[in-house]
Amino acid sequence: MFFILSKLFNFAINPVVWIVVLLIAIVIARRITLKKRLTKILLVVIVILTNPYLYNLSMGAWQYPRETYKSSTRFDAAIVMGGISGFDPAHKRVQFLRGADRLFQAIHLYKQGRVDKIIFSGGSGYITRPEYKEGEILKPYIKEYGIPIEDFIVESNSRNTYDNAVFTSKLIRNNGIEGDLLLITSGFHMKRSLACFHKQGLFPKPYSADLYELSNKKGGGSSKLNLLIPDIMVLQNWKNFIHEIVGYYVYKAMGYL
């Protein structure tokens, strides 16, 4: 039930939905004063949610920064959080999303000899396609990179971040994996992920991937002109950011952190 409710809530916090709702409200509003007020609100929402500078400022303050470990530092296993791909049923193939940087960073570390095993945590994130198990479907891709299947351990029952921590912690203990662990996920997702694993009694070191703003935390990038140039793609980024903020505090209220 929580999984289904989270999907519905994810729809409700989508900034595009807010804009559409405001547009509908403006059309059906009968009073001129209300139309004007709603129009002003709509313009403010659009200006804020299409502004790269403001987005970078907010995300830069929230996401976990990139960590640097000595090249001699080795880990017994790297835990990779799922949610990095989608499935194209028409062509029966995986479509990698931006978050796939999580997996590619793990592969890079494995090839360098800095992690001994990769633990991929990801089941089905779909309501209508529970049979799509992300970790299992990614196994053929891992083989193509020359990684022995015994070094790619899959947890395929999780459907959200809390499940990732619960099921992966059990898998690690059941397989007798000990020593230093690395947790690889997107920078904006690291705070919630780490807290979930800590709640389960595991304390992996963080390794942020898929960072949104690399230059600084002040939102400027290389040019403050970003403050004046709207970007429609920022709407999707705000959706991810808002989802993560809300998710963190919902998890905290439910005792998952």
Side-chain angles (χ1 to χ4, degrees), residues 156-191:
S156 59
N157 293 314
S158 57
R159 306 188 77 182
N160 54 41
T161 303
Y162 173 70
D163 285 352
N164 288 140
V166 171
F167 291 124
T168 303
S169 298
K170 290 180 180 178
L171 183 150
I172 287 173
R173 294 185 176 109
N174 290 341
N175 283 272
I177 299 174
E178 299 178 350
D180 294 328
L181 300 172
L182 197 64
L183 178 62
I184 303 179
T185 190
S186 301
F188 70 88
H189 186 235
M190 182 63 76
K191 186 174 182 179

Short mmCIF file of all heavy atoms in Angstrom, two decimals, residues 156-191:
data_model
loop_
_atom_site.label_atom_id
_atom_site.label_comp_id
_atom_site.label_asym_id
_atom_site.label_seq_id
_atom_site.Cartn_x
_atom_site.Cartn_y
_atom_site.Cartn_z
N SER A 156 16.72 -8.32 -5.55
CA SER A 156 15.68 -7.95 -6.51
C SER A 156 14.27 -7.88 -5.93
O SER A 156 13.29 -7.95 -6.66
CB SER A 156 15.69 -8.93 -7.69
OG SER A 156 15.47 -10.26 -7.22
N ASN A 157 14.16 -7.74 -4.60
CA ASN A 157 12.84 -7.65 -3.98
C ASN A 157 12.43 -6.23 -3.60
O ASN A 157 11.27 -5.98 -3.31
CB ASN A 157 12.79 -8.53 -2.72
CG ASN A 157 12.90 -10.01 -3.04
OD1 ASN A 157 12.24 -10.50 -3.95
ND2 ASN A 157 13.75 -10.72 -2.32
N SER A 158 13.38 -5.32 -3.56
CA SER A 158 13.09 -3.97 -3.10
C SER A 158 12.32 -3.16 -4.14
O SER A 158 12.49 -3.34 -5.35
CB SER A 158 14.40 -3.24 -2.75
OG SER A 158 15.26 -3.22 -3.86
N ARG A 159 11.47 -2.25 -3.63
CA ARG A 159 10.66 -1.40 -4.51
C ARG A 159 10.84 0.08 -4.18
O ARG A 159 10.29 0.95 -4.86
CB ARG A 159 9.19 -1.79 -4.42
CG ARG A 159 8.93 -3.26 -4.67
CD ARG A 159 7.46 -3.58 -4.77
NE ARG A 159 6.93 -3.18 -6.06
CZ ARG A 159 5.63 -3.31 -6.39
NH1 ARG A 159 4.78 -3.81 -5.51
NH2 ARG A 159 5.22 -2.93 -7.58
N ASN A 160 11.57 0.37 -3.11
CA ASN A 160 11.85 1.76 -2.74
C ASN A 160 13.13 1.79 -1.90
O ASN A 160 13.74 0.76 -1.65
CB ASN A 160 10.67 2.38 -1.98
CG ASN A 160 10.25 1.56 -0.77
OD1 ASN A 160 11.08 1.05 -0.03
ND2 ASN A 160 8.94 1.42 -0.57
N THR A 161 13.51 2.98 -1.48
CA THR A 161 14.78 3.14 -0.76
C THR A 161 14.80 2.39 0.56
O THR A 161 15.82 1.80 0.93
CB THR A 161 15.05 4.64 -0.52
OG1 THR A 161 15.05 5.33 -1.78
CG2 THR A 161 16.39 4.85 0.16
N TYR A 162 13.69 2.42 1.27
CA TYR A 162 13.61 1.68 2.54
C TYR A 162 13.82 0.19 2.31
O TYR A 162 14.58 -0.47 3.03
CB TYR A 162 12.26 1.94 3.20
CG TYR A 162 12.01 1.11 4.44
CD1 TYR A 162 12.72 1.34 5.62
CD2 TYR A 162 11.06 0.08 4.43
CE1 TYR A 162 12.50 0.58 6.76
CE2 TYR A 162 10.83 -0.68 5.57
CZ TYR A 162 11.56 -0.43 6.72
OH TYR A 162 11.34 -1.19 7.84
N ASP A 163 13.14 -0.35 1.30
CA ASP A 163 13.32 -1.77 0.95
C ASP A 163 14.76 -2.06 0.58
O ASP A 163 15.30 -3.12 0.93
CB ASP A 163 12.42 -2.15 -0.22
CG ASP A 163 10.96 -2.31 0.17
OD1 ASP A 163 10.65 -2.27 1.37
OD2 ASP A 163 10.12 -2.47 -0.74
N ASN A 164 15.38 -1.16 -0.17
CA ASN A 164 16.79 -1.34 -0.55
C ASN A 164 17.64 -1.62 0.68
O ASN A 164 18.45 -2.56 0.70
CB ASN A 164 17.34 -0.08 -1.23
CG ASN A 164 16.79 0.14 -2.63
OD1 ASN A 164 16.50 1.27 -3.01
ND2 ASN A 164 16.66 -0.92 -3.42
N ALA A 165 17.46 -0.80 1.70
CA ALA A 165 18.28 -0.93 2.92
C ALA A 165 17.94 -2.22 3.68
O ALA A 165 18.84 -2.94 4.12
CB ALA A 165 18.07 0.29 3.81
N VAL A 166 16.66 -2.51 3.81
CA VAL A 166 16.23 -3.69 4.58
C VAL A 166 16.70 -4.99 3.92
O VAL A 166 17.36 -5.83 4.55
CB VAL A 166 14.69 -3.71 4.74
CG1 VAL A 166 14.24 -5.04 5.35
CG2 VAL A 166 14.24 -2.56 5.63
N PHE A 167 16.37 -5.15 2.64
CA PHE A 167 16.69 -6.41 1.95
C PHE A 167 18.19 -6.56 1.69
O PHE A 167 18.73 -7.67 1.75
CB PHE A 167 15.91 -6.51 0.65
CG PHE A 167 14.43 -6.69 0.83
CD1 PHE A 167 13.53 -5.82 0.26
CD2 PHE A 167 13.93 -7.74 1.60
CE1 PHE A 167 12.16 -5.98 0.43
CE2 PHE A 167 12.56 -7.91 1.78
CZ PHE A 167 11.68 -7.03 1.20
N THR A 168 18.86 -5.45 1.39
CA THR A 168 20.30 -5.53 1.13
C THR A 168 21.07 -5.85 2.40
O THR A 168 22.05 -6.61 2.38
CB THR A 168 20.82 -4.22 0.51
OG1 THR A 168 20.09 -3.94 -0.67
CG2 THR A 168 22.30 -4.32 0.18
N SER A 169 20.64 -5.29 3.52
CA SER A 169 21.29 -5.59 4.81
C SER A 169 21.17 -7.08 5.14
O SER A 169 22.12 -7.71 5.58
CB SER A 169 20.66 -4.75 5.92
OG SER A 169 20.85 -3.37 5.68
N LYS A 170 19.98 -7.65 4.90
CA LYS A 170 19.78 -9.08 5.15
C LYS A 170 20.65 -9.91 4.22
O LYS A 170 21.26 -10.91 4.63
CB LYS A 170 18.31 -9.44 4.95
CG LYS A 170 17.38 -8.90 6.02
CD LYS A 170 15.94 -9.30 5.75
CE LYS A 170 15.00 -8.76 6.83
NZ LYS A 170 13.58 -9.10 6.56
N LEU A 171 20.71 -9.51 2.94
CA LEU A 171 21.52 -10.24 1.96
C LEU A 171 22.99 -10.25 2.36
O LEU A 171 23.67 -11.27 2.28
CB LEU A 171 21.33 -9.61 0.59
CG LEU A 171 22.04 -10.26 -0.61
CD1 LEU A 171 21.23 -10.02 -1.89
CD2 LEU A 171 23.45 -9.70 -0.80
N ILE A 172 23.47 -9.10 2.80
CA ILE A 172 24.88 -8.98 3.19
C ILE A 172 25.19 -9.89 4.38
O ILE A 172 26.20 -10.60 4.39
CB ILE A 172 25.21 -7.51 3.52
CG1 ILE A 172 25.28 -6.70 2.21
CG2 ILE A 172 26.53 -7.39 4.28
CD1 ILE A 172 25.43 -5.21 2.42
N ARG A 173 24.31 -9.90 5.34
CA ARG A 173 24.54 -10.73 6.53
C ARG A 173 24.39 -12.21 6.21
O ARG A 173 25.17 -13.04 6.70
CB ARG A 173 23.57 -10.31 7.63
CG ARG A 173 23.83 -8.88 8.15
CD ARG A 173 22.95 -8.51 9.32
NE ARG A 173 23.31 -7.19 9.83
CZ ARG A 173 22.56 -6.09 9.68
NH1 ARG A 173 21.40 -6.18 9.04
NH2 ARG A 173 22.96 -4.94 10.17
N ASN A 174 23.40 -12.55 5.39
CA ASN A 174 23.19 -13.96 5.02
C ASN A 174 24.35 -14.52 4.20
O ASN A 174 24.62 -15.73 4.24
CB ASN A 174 21.89 -14.11 4.24
CG ASN A 174 20.66 -13.89 5.11
OD1 ASN A 174 20.74 -13.97 6.33
ND2 ASN A 174 19.53 -13.58 4.48
N ASN A 175 25.02 -13.66 3.43
CA ASN A 175 26.14 -14.10 2.60
C ASN A 175 27.48 -13.95 3.29
O ASN A 175 28.52 -14.21 2.69
CB ASN A 175 26.15 -13.33 1.28
CG ASN A 175 25.10 -13.81 0.30
OD1 ASN A 175 25.33 -14.72 -0.49
ND2 ASN A 175 23.92 -13.20 0.35
N GLY A 176 27.44 -13.53 4.55
CA GLY A 176 28.68 -13.42 5.32
C GLY A 176 29.65 -12.39 4.78
O GLY A 176 30.87 -12.53 4.93
N ILE A 177 29.12 -11.35 4.14
CA ILE A 177 29.99 -10.30 3.61
C ILE A 177 30.38 -9.37 4.75
O ILE A 177 29.53 -8.77 5.41
CB ILE A 177 29.27 -9.50 2.50
CG1 ILE A 177 28.92 -10.44 1.34
CG2 ILE A 177 30.14 -8.35 2.02
CD1 ILE A 177 28.09 -9.78 0.27
N GLU A 178 31.66 -9.26 4.99
CA GLU A 178 32.17 -8.43 6.07
C GLU A 178 33.20 -7.45 5.53
O GLU A 178 33.66 -7.57 4.40
CB GLU A 178 32.78 -9.30 7.17
CG GLU A 178 31.78 -10.27 7.81
CD GLU A 178 32.44 -11.15 8.85
OE1 GLU A 178 33.69 -11.14 8.94
OE2 GLU A 178 31.71 -11.86 9.56
N GLY A 179 33.56 -6.51 6.35
CA GLY A 179 34.58 -5.55 5.95
C GLY A 179 33.98 -4.22 5.53
O GLY A 179 32.83 -3.89 5.86
N ASP A 180 34.74 -3.45 4.79
CA ASP A 180 34.33 -2.10 4.41
C ASP A 180 33.37 -2.13 3.22
O ASP A 180 33.60 -2.84 2.23
CB ASP A 180 35.56 -1.26 4.05
CG ASP A 180 36.46 -1.01 5.25
OD1 ASP A 180 35.91 -0.92 6.36
OD2 ASP A 180 37.68 -0.92 5.07
N LEU A 181 32.31 -1.35 3.34
CA LEU A 181 31.30 -1.26 2.29
C LEU A 181 31.24 0.16 1.74
O LEU A 181 31.47 1.13 2.45
CB LEU A 181 29.93 -1.66 2.83
CG LEU A 181 29.79 -3.07 3.40
CD1 LEU A 181 28.43 -3.23 4.07
CD2 LEU A 181 29.97 -4.12 2.31
N LEU A 182 30.87 0.24 0.47
CA LEU A 182 30.71 1.53 -0.20
C LEU A 182 29.27 1.62 -0.68
O LEU A 182 28.72 0.65 -1.20
CB LEU A 182 31.66 1.61 -1.40
CG LEU A 182 31.96 2.99 -2.01
CD1 LEU A 182 32.68 3.88 -1.00
CD2 LEU A 182 32.80 2.82 -3.27
N LEU A 183 28.65 2.76 -0.47
CA LEU A 183 27.28 2.97 -0.95
C LEU A 183 27.31 3.96 -2.11
O LEU A 183 27.75 5.11 -1.94
CB LEU A 183 26.39 3.51 0.17
CG LEU A 183 24.94 3.81 -0.22
CD1 LEU A 183 24.22 2.54 -0.68
CD2 LEU A 183 24.18 4.45 0.94
N ILE A 184 26.85 3.52 -3.28
CA ILE A 184 26.87 4.36 -4.47
C ILE A 184 25.44 4.68 -4.89
O ILE A 184 24.65 3.79 -5.19
CB ILE A 184 27.60 3.68 -5.64
CG1 ILE A 184 29.02 3.29 -5.23
CG2 ILE A 184 27.63 4.60 -6.86
CD1 ILE A 184 29.81 2.59 -6.32
N THR A 185 25.13 5.96 -4.90
CA THR A 185 23.84 6.42 -5.40
C THR A 185 23.99 7.87 -5.82
O THR A 185 25.06 8.47 -5.66
CB THR A 185 22.73 6.26 -4.33
OG1 THR A 185 21.46 6.52 -4.94
CG2 THR A 185 22.92 7.22 -3.17
N SER A 186 22.93 8.44 -6.37
CA SER A 186 22.98 9.84 -6.81
C SER A 186 23.19 10.75 -5.61
O SER A 186 22.71 10.48 -4.50
CB SER A 186 21.67 10.21 -7.51
OG SER A 186 21.45 9.39 -8.63
N GLY A 187 23.90 11.85 -5.84
CA GLY A 187 24.20 12.77 -4.75
C GLY A 187 22.97 13.27 -4.02
O GLY A 187 22.96 13.37 -2.80
N PHE A 188 21.90 13.55 -4.77
CA PHE A 188 20.68 14.07 -4.14
C PHE A 188 19.94 12.98 -3.35
O PHE A 188 19.10 13.28 -2.51
CB PHE A 188 19.74 14.67 -5.19
CG PHE A 188 19.09 13.68 -6.12
CD1 PHE A 188 17.89 13.07 -5.79
CD2 PHE A 188 19.68 13.34 -7.33
CE1 PHE A 188 17.29 12.15 -6.65
CE2 PHE A 188 19.08 12.43 -8.19
CZ PHE A 188 17.89 11.83 -7.85
N HIS A 189 20.27 11.72 -3.60
CA HIS A 189 19.60 10.59 -2.96
C HIS A 189 20.41 10.01 -1.81
O HIS A 189 19.92 9.16 -1.06
CB HIS A 189 19.37 9.51 -4.03
CG HIS A 189 18.57 8.34 -3.57
ND1 HIS A 189 19.03 7.04 -3.68
CD2 HIS A 189 17.34 8.24 -3.02
CE1 HIS A 189 18.12 6.21 -3.21
NE2 HIS A 189 17.08 6.91 -2.80
N MET A 190 21.65 10.48 -1.63
CA MET A 190 22.57 9.87 -0.67
C MET A 190 22.14 10.06 0.77
O MET A 190 22.25 9.14 1.60
CB MET A 190 23.98 10.44 -0.87
CG MET A 190 25.03 9.83 0.04
SD MET A 190 25.26 8.05 -0.24
CE MET A 190 26.21 8.07 -1.77
N LYS A 191 21.64 11.23 1.12
CA LYS A 191 21.29 11.51 2.51
C LYS A 191 20.24 10.54 3.03
O LYS A 191 20.39 9.95 4.11
CB LYS A 191 20.79 12.95 2.64
CG LYS A 191 20.54 13.40 4.07
CD LYS A 191 20.18 14.88 4.12
CE LYS A 191 19.97 15.35 5.55
NZ LYS A 191 19.64 16.79 5.62
#
